Amino acid sequence: MNFLEININITYMQQFDKENLLIFAKKIKVLRTAQSKSLNKFVFGKGLLTTATWSRIENGNVDLKFSTLLKVAKMLNITPDELLKDIKFNNNFPEN
């Protein structure tokens, strides 16, 4: 594989990851606002994450660790599989 092919693969994977983060972010925001709470009230009331972290998640600016995903689910009173329901799991990355 030459250098150009490597860059194309990385760019594709990064774009795919970003799209999923934005889908996830939108879902998180919808679920939080459905509870009729401001971001600050919501996060302070739950106490598991900071408002800065929650804001980054809602804006798709952070790639979550598994432990953070569990906290997000707990804060929203849903299961992790419900959070991941609309995420595209694509294993068809270009081969080497």
Side-chain angles (χ1 to χ4, degrees):
M1 180 183 319
N2 67 39
F3 180 73
L4 180 59
E5 289 174 2
I6 293 170
N7 283 338
I8 291 170
N9 291 343
I10 291 170
T11 302
Y12 172 79
M13 288 187 286
Q14 287 173 336
Q15 179 62 34
F16 185 77
D17 289 345
K18 185 64 177 173
E19 288 172 13
N20 273 334
L21 284 174
L22 292 174
I23 291 167
F24 185 77
K26 183 178 179 180
K27 183 172 188 169
I28 294 299
K29 188 169 188 171
V30 166
L31 290 168
R32 181 196 43 91
T33 56
Q35 295 185 19
S36 300
K37 297 182 179 181
S38 73
L39 188 144
N40 284 335
K41 280 186 178 180
F42 178 79
V43 173
F44 286 139
K46 305 293 181 171
L48 296 173
L49 297 171
T50 66
T51 55
T53 298
W54 192 273
S55 180
R56 286 192 297 271
I57 293 168
E58 279 193 5
N59 289 303
N61 295 330
V62 64
D63 198 351
L64 302 174
K65 297 186 312 185
F66 181 70
S67 60
T68 305
L69 177 76
L70 295 177
K71 289 176 185 176
V72 168
K74 183 174 178 72
M75 290 173 73
L76 292 168
N77 295 318
I78 62 175
T79 62
D81 59 322
E82 289 175 285
L83 277 180
L84 298 174
K85 187 171 95 176
D86 299 324
I87 302 299
K88 303 172 214 166
F89 293 100
N90 181 354
N91 297 326
N92 297 323
F93 295 113
E95 292 189 27
N96 298 340

